Amino acid sequence: MAIWLDANTRVVVQGLTGKEGQFHAAKCREYGTKIVAGVTPGKAGTAVDGVPVFNTVVDAKAATGCTASLIFVPPLGAADAILEAVDAGIELIVCITEGIPARDEVVVSQRLAGSGARLIGPNCPGIISPGKAKLGIMPAHIHREGHVGVVSRSGTLTYEAVDQLTKLGMGQSTCVGIGGDPVPGTSFVDVLEAFNADPQTESVVMIGEIGGSAEEEAAAYVKAHMKKPVVAFIAGQTAPPGRRMGHAGAIISGGKGTAKEKIEALEAAGIRVAATPAEIGITMARALGKA
Amino acid sequence: MKVHEYQAKEILSRFGVRVPRGRVAVTPAEAGAVAADLGGKVVVKAQVHAGGRGKAGGVKLANGADEAVRVAGQILGMKLVSKQTGPEGRIVHKVLVEEALGIARELYLGIVLDRSAELPVLMASKFGGMEIEEVAAEHPEAILKQHFDPCAGLQPFQARKLGFALELSGDTLKKFVKLVTALARAYNESDATLAEINPLLITTDGDVLALDAKMNFDDNAIARHPDIGAMRDLGEEDPLEVEASKYDLNYIKLDGTIACMVNGAGLAMATMDIIKHAGGAPANFLDVGGGASQERVENAFRILLSDPEVKAVLINIFGGIVRCDMIAAGVVAAARKLDVKVPIVVRLEGTNVDEGKRILGESGLALQPADGMADAAAKVVAAAR
């Protein structure tokens, strides 16, 4: 099963003709993802590695039946690209772009509400259902198909966790990077709900970080509804208050959003929290009685 | 990005927020001249990017130009130490000289992004002059909130609701509504992350003005506002952080002894955490980014080594987009150029890891390889002792 993305998902890449779009679209295809179209305004009629390019997402959808979009558009045009995908009726939108102004993200969030579209990101590595398809920039070779769902606000820290899981023999159902921005399209709770309902997913690794209250909201959901074991790690236990730690959303402001508060909330919900980033895999193995 | 109070007031007044008359000065004589222009009593306020200035002796009243010169002489050049500056304090280079007004009431107004609601929220309270965090802890019921849609903007009825709840009436209420809607427009249209008026002054004759103002801006949107970008005061930032920002590196100086260079913000934070867990203290946060080039790695390395507190370096790279061989080549080039004296522990994983390890091994440099983050942290903490 996996969630949201499978081997049959047909994908348009917005920004396919750019350097990053072209590079990562090729990697996604190598993995088996059905990349069926690209969109770059003004470049209709051309092709990239045999993939036809269209002027608009509507045109791409009419010609190819794509239902998902992968976005590599620069930050000041990225919100527009997301809104174009929503307008065209794309169901799954993955935005990799880092550096989108928060106000644009608020506008996007308002438009997404009730639209039926799901946005993953922005400022994220994307989504991968190992063995089926990947829509993103993560290194595919560290993943194995299996039963652990992974959800994270971080990119490389997710690779770290996935690598540990794979090396300990625990494959993944789907890994979702929800991104490090203050207004993500998809929240921890959204992903946990989907994992809860997914028959392939038997347990979940959740990787949070300082800033905001998404982890606390996830803890409340887990306590009330989650039927599967959840293991977590929170980055930023040593982060100073008031400073943005790389991610636009990773900031302790007004004494709120500390790692300590989040860890306490997660543990109070029965979630095992790994003490260090090196122990994410082994903590899951213990939770499953495998170590 | 942060700006000074006088700059925040300049931006706010463009949108129609009323502020006291006044000007910025960089010498006591200039401050005196501003006070003479204003006439009567003035307030001289230190301009630094930190709160708690009043308690730290950075805000003083002066009766006339001569006293303004004297007071400004005390404040300019002083090392202002407040709760927000930390013990090292900030040197004051500028003062804002403003007319002193008769105070009837002091209120609070602030706008931030409410991340849970995914909307900006305007907060108001009758406890002007108190920090909002303190009010939230002591009188949470006193914080009034109105969320608003950034496309439609804050509506006048929302401002009226707050005004009536704050027991304003008549002309004062009208002035309040005008100021609040102007503040919301300023927040929205300048891509602010914080727009705060604390205190908002109700004068003895019923006027409504921003006595103090603070604005922070979204770094991701500064390109849309070159006028605001030009207000950046590099003197208020750490010199190494300024240097790092030239190369698009996310660097934050901390007070430990173990420098770290990591790709990705989450992994960089987690690396700091595991150093602490192993008994060490990180000297910095540094994310070289997903698309790190060899040149960026070299610059990053140079910047983190120019911190004199650094006793050892940990390089932790999980190659996804960024290739381990490229990172390794950058590290070797930089280490040769910079004649590094401190031990370096390197942990590489991911794309082209074997080639990366080979480059490091054949470099002839004293680099300690590590397997996994726990091993890397233990080795670097031992090396820093």
Side-chain angles (χ1 to χ4, degrees):
Chain A
M1 268 289 282
I3 64 168
W4 300 332
L5 173 68
D6 62 34
N8 300 315
T9 308
R10 296 171 70 79
V11 180
V12 55
V13 176
Q14 291 174 259
L16 178 67
T17 56
K19 194 177 129 197
E20 273 196 62
Q22 182 168 0
F23 176 81
H24 288 294
K27 295 277 177 197
C28 291
R29 282 177 88 191
E30 270 173 35
Y31 198 68
T33 311
K34 289 200 168 76
I35 305 282
V36 296
V39 166
T40 301
K43 294 206 176 161
T46 65
V48 173
D49 300 333
V51 176
V53 176
F54 300 87
N55 279 334
T56 67
V57 180
V58 167
D59 290 349
K61 193 180 176 207
T64 67
C66 54
T67 59
S69 168
L70 180 59
I71 298 179
F72 291 98
V73 171
L76 295 184
D80 184 44
I82 296 168
L83 294 175
E84 182 179 355
V86 175
D87 175 72
I90 297 293
E91 293 158 19
L92 177 66
I93 304 163
V94 178
C95 183
I96 305 301
T97 311
E98 176 174 7
I100 301 177
R103 185 182 53 162
D104 295 9
E105 294 182 357
V106 170
V107 171
V108 165
S109 138
Q110 293 291 298
R111 181 67 185 83
L112 278 171
S115 73
R118 164 157 311 286
L119 169 66
I120 294 175
N123 190 10
C124 77
I127 174 171
I128 181 168
S129 295
K132 301 181 180 76
K134 82 160 186 162
L135 261 189
I137 59 173
M138 62 291 279
H141 68 269
I142 58 172
H143 299 81
R144 291 288 176 281
E145 189 164 6
H147 303 287
V148 183
V150 178
V151 56
S152 171
R153 281 169 69 185
S154 156
T156 47
L157 185 53
T158 316
Y159 310 161
E160 179 75 41
V162 166
D163 190 50
Q164 290 174 22
L165 291 171
T166 297
K167 283 178 176 160
L168 290 168
M170 293 175 284
Q172 305 87 42
S173 53
T174 301
C175 305
V176 187
I178 58 174
D181 278 355
V183 189
T186 290
S187 68
F188 278 127
V189 172
D190 295 334
V191 183
L192 288 170
E193 279 175 350
F195 280 146
N196 212 12
D198 172 38
Q200 186 184 337
T201 304
E202 293 171 1
S203 63
V204 177
V205 169
M206 174 183 145
I207 299 171
E209 62 190 29
I210 55 162
S213 56
E215 291 79 4
E216 286 86 338
E217 287 150 22
Y221 173 82
V222 167
K223 195 168 185 181
H225 304 289
M226 199 74 187
K227 298 174 292 195
K228 304 170 184 182
V230 180
V231 160
F233 176 73
I234 302 293
Q237 298 175 36
T238 51
R243 302 301 309 268
R244 259 170 226 288
M245 306 303 285
H247 286 156
I251 180 166
I252 299 167
S253 54
K256 288 280 166 195
T258 64
K260 187 166 174 282
E261 283 176 308
K262 292 177 186 295
I263 291 168
E264 283 169 6
L266 293 168
E267 285 179 340
I271 296 169
R272 292 188 193 215
V273 181
T276 76
E279 293 162 70
I280 300 170
I282 191 73
T283 306
M284 177 53 88
R286 286 187 195 124
L288 298 177
K290 292 181 180 174
Chain B
M1 193 191 101
K2 294 179 178 179
V3 296
H4 289 293
E5 175 196 0
Y6 77 93
Q7 295 166 321
K9 284 179 169 170
E10 190 186 315
I11 294 165
L12 290 175
S13 57
R14 282 185 216 157
F15 288 89
V17 173
R18 293 247 295 130
V19 302
R21 292 181 303 131
R23 278 205 311 278
V24 73
V26 296
T27 65
E30 259 182 52
V34 178
D37 282 355
L38 294 170
K41 273 190 190 166
V42 296
V43 191
V44 181
K45 306 174 83 177
Q47 299 294 292
V48 290
H49 286 183
R53 295 170 298 167
K55 278 183 196 151
V59 180
K60 288 186 167 143
L61 268 171
N63 203 347
D66 292 344
E67 202 178 344
V69 172
R70 193 169 58 75
V71 166
Q74 292 165 1
I75 296 176
L76 283 164
M78 79 181 279
K79 191 168 98 173
L80 189 144
V81 182
S82 81
K83 214 164 67 181
Q84 291 186 24
T85 63
E88 70 278 13
R90 296 277 170 82
I91 304 293
V92 181
H93 297 290
K94 288 175 184 167
V95 291
L96 175 61
V97 183
E98 279 185 341
E99 60 180 336
L101 297 160
I103 298 173
R105 287 182 71 188
E106 292 186 323
L107 306 174
Y108 172 93
L109 286 179
I111 304 178
V112 292
L113 174 65
D114 178 340
R115 290 167 61 165
S116 293
E118 305 193 342
L119 283 175
V121 60
L122 171 72
M123 295 176 291
S125 102
K126 61 183 177 182
F127 293 104
M130 258 173 95
E131 280 179 37
I132 192 72
E133 292 83 12
E134 251 176 89
V135 180
E138 290 167 28
H139 313 278
E141 74 294 341
I143 300 179
L144 313 166
K145 291 182 179 177
Q146 290 289 313
H147 289 88
F148 61 95
D149 180 325
C151 300
L154 182 89
Q155 299 301 307
F157 81 86
Q158 297 183 289
R160 282 199 301 276
K161 276 199 327 206
L162 296 177
F164 284 120
L166 291 166
E167 296 169 348
L168 302 174
S169 59
D171 254 7
T172 305
L173 177 78
K174 281 184 191 154
K175 287 173 178 167
F176 174 85
V177 169
K178 186 165 174 271
L179 185 141
V180 168
T181 44
L183 177 68
R185 271 199 316 147
Y187 171 89
N188 211 13
E189 290 175 28
S190 61
D191 280 291
T193 54
L194 168 74
E196 187 178 65
I197 297 177
N198 188 23
L200 176 76
L201 175 65
I202 312 292
T203 66
T204 39
D205 40 15
D207 218 346
V208 183
L209 300 100
L211 197 58
D212 197 356
K214 185 175 173 189
M215 291 188 89
N216 294 343
F217 299 92
D218 185 347
D219 293 327
N220 290 342
I222 291 295
R224 293 204 280 230
H225 308 283
D227 54 329
I228 295 170
M231 291 180 176
R232 184 173 171 195
D233 183 348
L234 298 178
E236 290 283 331
E237 298 175 32
D238 182 274
L240 287 179
E241 293 182 14
V242 173
E243 177 70 10
S245 69
K246 288 183 197 161
Y247 304 99
D248 256 344
L249 293 164
N250 273 311
Y251 171 91
I252 293 172
K253 183 161 161 32
L254 303 168
D255 49 16
T257 59
I258 298 171
C260 353
M261 181 166 86
V262 188
N263 65 327
L267 190 62
M269 274 188 272
T271 303
M272 287 161 45
D273 295 347
I274 203 167
I275 288 173
K276 185 76 174 253
H277 198 264
N284 66 278
F285 166 92
L286 175 62
D287 171 12
V288 286
S293 65
Q294 190 166 324
E295 189 201 356
R296 264 176 94 171
V297 170
E298 277 188 45
N299 282 312
F301 209 59
R302 180 173 55 75
I303 288 162
L304 56 84
L305 284 173
S306 50
D307 176 353
E309 302 298 318
V310 166
K311 294 204 170 73
V313 179
L314 172 55
I315 297 171
N316 182 21
I317 302 293
F318 203 110
I321 322 171
V322 54
R323 300 184 335 260
C324 293
D325 55 326
M326 190 275 298
I327 293 277
V331 168
V332 168
R336 288 218 174 97
K337 237 187 242 176
L338 300 166
D339 184 25
V340 183
K341 300 275 194 308
V342 296
I344 302 171
V345 176
V346 187
R347 184 273 178 135
L348 293 177
E349 195 57 69
T351 310
N352 293 3
V353 61
D354 294 335
E355 178 66 6
K357 284 183 176 165
R358 190 190 60 75
I359 292 170
L360 294 177
E362 291 173 4
S363 68
L365 295 165
L367 303 167
Q368 289 186 54
D371 283 318
M373 285 179 76
D375 183 43
K379 280 181 175 154
V380 79
V381 170
R385 287 221 172 95

